[in-house]
Amino acid sequence: MTEVRSHAASPAAGEAARIYHTAREAGRATLDAGELARLLGAAKLHTATAPAGAIELSIRVHATREFGLVLGAGVGGLDAALDPANFARDRAAVHAAVELTDGADFLARFRRTITWQRIAALAARRGVQPPEAALARLFEAALQLAAGGLPDTPDAQVALHELVLDCACDGEAVQIVAARCSVGAPPLLRVARPIHKIDRLLHPERIGIVGASASGMNFGRIILRNLLGSGCPPERLCVIRPGGGEIDGVACIENLAAIEGKLDLLIVAVAADAVYPLVDEIIAAATVEAVMLIPGGLGETAKSREPAAALAARINAAHARGDGGPIFLGANCLGVVSHPGRYDSWFIPLERLPKPQKVPERRAVMLSQSGAFMITRLSHNPWLDPRYMIAMGNQTDLTHGDLLSWFAAREDVDSIGIYVEGFRDLDGLAFARAVRRAVLAGKQVVVYKSGRSEAGQAGVMGHTASIAGDPVLFAAVLAQAGAIVTDDVEVFDDLFYMAGTLHAKRIGGDRLAAASGAGFEAVSAADASVGATFSMRMATLSADTFARIEAVLAEKKLAALVEVRNPLDMNPGADDDAHVRITAAMADDPGVDAVVVGLDPTAPMVRALEQSRLRPGYDLSDPESTVHTLPPLVARTDKPIVAVVDAGRLYDAMAAGLMDRGVCVFRNVARGTRALVRYVEARMDAERIRRHFGRS
């Protein structure tokens, strides 16, 4: 299986590397005319005069701090000078990390742009085929030239900074009109973290704590109580504290040097100024495999940035020693909840945030730079139910790319939700690589990106000392790698929840069926099926499905009131049985790929109340209630079914009962349908990635 298409072995890449090196040795940042001609010639390209009336487009490879070299293509000429806000997503330009795409793959992304639409329209007007093959070859050539100057090549002395090809297309052929290229010094690379030690971080047998008070309830003491309260026995724990004794039944050890053997994990909950000497002691003692740095004030403020950077450099240097040194999570992090590791180190008391198990086997992971983000998400929706919840904080050592790389290889994880404020240098590339590996392994990665506004970026720096980066580029590169990317918190909740509940379902296409006892819900589902870059279409129901639905309506004495169509208004007289049987008929239709069903909880014929005073027993306790009859249908079909309970708190029990039984439930039909459209788009794109890059 090939994870990425490498262009570094091509003759064009080798010649490009020599040309870049020559320019760099001569002290020039820009290639001269002769070098440019040789560079283009290495990829069998040349410049020519633009034909009259041609469509202008720009192809650009440029170095980014987070993602290394990125290929972009889109509007050229005057259009390129317009504010990108004038264009919808993926319309002005598309982007991809150089090493995660090839010519054909990038062409598929390029077809979303307005430039491609203009080229295709011009070709149609002239009665010719648009130049798909020529564009794919041009993209491939740009990738090969980029491969000669990758910024993370070991021992490289030069890196490509920018390669721009200004092009023109007459609808049938593509010409390079002008080119320019610049090079420079490659960035300094960090020592690779020993990420195999993440296993010690998440599944520790021996855990130590520094900073637990013997007399008060500080953060360290709360963490100790949470460890004990989450089922971690006292014999797995120790408190590093002079004077011996014990706290809450946990033995105290004088100092790190007094530890016998090694601790798998040390949790540090001390004041920020005490962290610096303590980290040096941890590195020197070599008695700890993984460290969790809880304190803030280590890089978020102007005063702390220089000493925090020096601390990160000392940790980085320790990774160069034989055993790789300890790994560090944080600083400024909430901690970790590891259900398989049988511990909870968050400093939020369990009484304020219980973490009940909502599925038989937890198969989701949540990673977040912000601990509060995870807390609020889980508090609002415990059905997210992650197997692991990890707050990363400042990424002083372990990064997004490190953690996602580790989880991408885990067979016990299906979906990963991630909150990102910013990446360390080149860690966006490591992250994108990990996204691609996760997608190739059949996982779904949902990413929420904050800091898209200038004010938001300033807040990011003050929160976790991250550099937010360009949100448009971020979304484009990670989406091309295979992630589901959003900048809306509620959309993140919806997609992460849906990824967990629908992971095992087959996405066979874009044909949607919708039904509800409330007419507005049926219409709303159809309206919400239209997305920004992808839409689902209302399926044409088969004759057999028509007959099954008509039989249900006749039995329920609704046939005279309802005309069978898609979307279907079942009428408020439809009971639980009608809802479930009609949903089953739609799901069984070979021409339907997914079903949205409004369960109409306020309708008098639906058993939706926790307890009915008017009709005792005609409620959720009745075995004929949808809460009991819909889950078996959801379990047996391999198609996605989204159920909607659009009503107030009186019907929370109905929604919770269905969710507890594995049904994907939304409280608003438009929101649920929009999430389904985004999810189906992502699943279909992931399948395309698997086919194209070597795994079906």
Side-chain angles (χ1 to χ4, degrees):
M1 180 188 73
T2 302
E3 289 187 2
V4 298
R5 302 295 172 92
S6 173
H7 307 89
S10 68
E15 179 62 14
R18 288 186 284 273
I19 294 169
Y20 301 152
H21 186 73
T22 298
R24 177 72 177 161
E25 276 196 327
R28 287 183 287 104
T30 304
L31 269 60
D32 61 29
E35 290 165 337
L36 267 175
R38 285 172 49 211
L39 183 69
L40 296 179
K44 297 181 171 55
L45 303 175
H46 63 276
T47 59
T49 303
I55 304 297
E56 293 179 287
L57 66 145
S58 176
I59 300 172
R60 179 184 181 222
V61 176
H62 70 289
T64 67
R65 183 190 61 79
E66 315 101 306
F67 297 108
L69 292 181
V70 170
L71 172 64
V75 294
L78 289 176
D79 284 346
L82 297 176
D83 187 337
N86 290 310
F87 299 91
R89 183 165 64 95
D90 288 351
R91 295 297 186 257
V94 289
H95 302 86
V98 160
E99 70 172 67
L100 295 181
T101 191
D102 60 24
D105 171 66
F106 195 78
L107 176 63
R109 309 293 296 188
F110 181 71
R111 289 194 187 103
R112 299 183 177 196
T113 64
I114 191 171
T115 302
W116 166 257
Q117 293 175 25
R118 287 175 172 171
I119 290 171
L122 183 58
R125 177 184 293 177
R126 296 184 175 179
V128 297
Q129 293 297 315
E132 293 187 344
L135 281 167
R137 285 194 298 271
L138 193 52
F139 295 145
E140 184 69 25
L143 292 166
Q144 291 178 4
L145 297 179
L150 295 173
D152 60 341
T153 302
D155 303 320
Q157 297 179 337
V158 62
L160 177 64
H161 278 190
E162 184 180 53
L163 170 64
V164 178
L165 305 176
D166 294 324
C167 303
C169 178
D170 63 0
E172 188 173 12
V174 186
Q175 301 286 353
I176 300 174
V177 177
R180 58 188 181 275
C181 182
S182 60
V183 297
L188 294 175
L189 303 179
R190 297 172 70 192
V191 178
R193 274 72 62 204
I195 65 170
H196 65 278
K197 293 187 179 184
I198 293 174
D199 185 66
R200 300 293 190 93
L201 171 70
L202 298 180
H203 310 111
E205 286 303 316
R206 300 183 65 200
I207 303 174
I209 304 175
V210 180
S213 171
S215 57
M217 196 53 63
N218 65 351
F219 277 9
R221 186 73 173 274
I222 294 172
I223 291 170
L224 179 61
R225 291 279 181 90
N226 275 2
L227 288 167
L228 294 166
S230 60
C232 191
E235 55 268 23
R236 286 177 61 195
L237 305 173
C238 66
V239 176
I240 313 300
R241 182 174 179 272
E246 63 178 39
I247 301 175
D248 293 333
V250 175
C252 297
I253 296 178
E254 189 75 20
N255 52 47
L256 291 172
I259 296 172
E260 294 184 6
K262 280 195 172 187
L263 291 177
D264 296 298
L265 171 62
L266 179 65
I267 301 170
V268 175
V270 298
D273 57 0
V275 170
Y276 298 101
L278 181 58
V279 167
D280 291 335
E281 183 183 352
I282 291 167
I283 293 172
T287 55
V288 177
E289 297 286 16
V291 183
M292 194 181 298
L293 297 176
I294 304 298
L298 295 167
E300 308 94 274
T301 63
K303 182 179 179 180
S304 68
R305 280 171 202 148
E306 186 175 336
L311 178 71
R314 296 197 296 276
I315 292 171
N316 181 58
H319 292 319
R321 73 188 192 191
D323 65 348
I327 55 171
F328 290 78
L329 182 72
N332 189 23
C333 79
L334 173 66
V336 169
V337 174
S338 170
H339 292 293
R342 297 170 294 134
Y343 83 93
D344 179 345
S345 74
W346 286 5
F347 52 76
I348 306 301
L350 290 171
E351 66 179 4
R352 292 181 178 270
L353 189 68
K355 304 174 184 71
Q357 187 162 342
K358 288 292 185 180
V359 290
E361 183 186 2
R362 305 173 196 261
R363 297 188 63 84
V365 173
M366 189 181 290
L367 309 175
S368 175
Q369 279 185 265
S370 166
F373 179 85
M374 286 195 295
I375 292 168
T376 54
R377 307 288 41 86
L378 192 64
S379 180
H380 282 299
N381 192 353
W383 288 274
L384 294 177
D385 203 21
R387 190 181 191 90
Y388 303 93
M389 290 173 276
I390 304 171
M392 302 178 59
N394 292 354
Q395 303 179 90
T396 301
D397 187 37
L398 288 178
T399 64
H400 289 294
D402 294 331
L403 285 160
L404 186 56
S405 294
W406 193 81
F407 281 114
R410 298 284 299 187
E411 294 184 358
D412 58 352
V413 170
D414 293 332
S415 54
I416 306 169
I418 307 168
Y419 167 78
V420 177
E421 292 182 351
F423 290 122
R424 294 298 184 193
D425 292 356
L426 290 181
D427 191 58
L429 176 58
F431 186 83
R433 289 169 177 156
V435 166
R436 177 61 57 82
R437 288 196 296 272
V439 169
L440 291 174
K443 305 181 195 305
Q444 293 141 56
V445 181
V446 184
V447 181
Y448 170 74
K449 175 67 170 73
S450 68
R452 64 184 183 274
S453 67
E454 185 175 344
Q457 291 182 10
V460 161
M461 193 64 197
H463 179 218
T464 58
S466 296
I467 301 174
D470 180 352
V472 174
L473 186 69
F474 175 101
V477 171
L478 292 187
Q480 189 277 334
I484 310 172
V485 184
T486 179
D487 57 10
D488 184 286
V489 175
E490 288 188 343
V491 173
F492 172 87
D493 288 350
D494 296 346
L495 292 172
F496 186 37
Y497 166 63
M498 191 168 274
T501 56
L502 300 183
H503 178 81
K505 301 303 181 182
R506 179 176 62 88
I507 305 298
D510 61 357
R511 299 165 299 179
L512 176 67
S516 174
F520 91 91
E521 285 195 327
V523 175
S524 294
D527 287 345
S529 67
V530 179
T533 57
F534 172 85
S535 298
M536 297 187 74
R537 53 198 172 100
M538 302 311 295
T540 301
L541 302 179
S542 70
D544 180 63
T545 303
F546 260 82
R548 288 177 63 180
I549 294 174
E550 284 176 336
V552 173
L553 294 173
E555 180 184 326
K556 305 297 180 181
K557 297 181 171 51
L558 298 172
L561 303 174
V562 177
E563 180 181 356
V564 179
R565 63 178 67 199
N566 182 29
L568 176 67
D569 175 4
M570 287 184 274
N571 187 276
D575 63 6
D576 300 76
D577 182 59
H579 282 81
V580 174
R581 287 167 61 191
I582 288 173
T583 301
M586 289 178 162
D588 291 342
D589 191 322
V592 171
D593 299 308
V595 180
V596 173
V597 55
L599 299 179
D600 201 15
T602 60
M605 299 305 292
V606 176
R607 300 164 176 84
L609 292 172
E610 198 164 13
Q611 187 174 22
S612 174
R613 293 191 299 271
L614 182 64
R615 301 173 69 181
Y618 197 86
D619 50 37
L620 297 181
S621 65
D622 189 330
E624 298 302 313
S625 167
T626 307
V627 166
H628 300 286
T629 58
L630 183 60
L633 168 61
V634 168
R636 76 162 173 80
T637 183
D638 65 351
K639 297 178 183 178
I641 294 176
V642 175
V644 179
V645 180
D646 191 352
R649 294 181 180 178
L650 191 60
Y651 303 95
D652 286 353
M654 180 185 187
L658 288 165
M659 295 169 80
D660 282 344
R661 291 166 173 82
V663 179
C664 183
V665 175
F666 278 77
R667 303 302 293 270
N668 174 279
V669 70
R671 181 170 172 176
T673 305
R674 282 194 294 266
L676 179 64
V677 170
R678 284 287 305 273
Y679 181 74
V680 168
E681 177 185 18
R683 284 283 298 271
M684 292 178 71
D685 199 41
E687 185 56 35
R688 183 193 65 80
I689 288 171
R690 285 190 281 271
R691 287 196 306 269
H692 188 79
F693 290 103
R695 178 172 176 173
S696 60

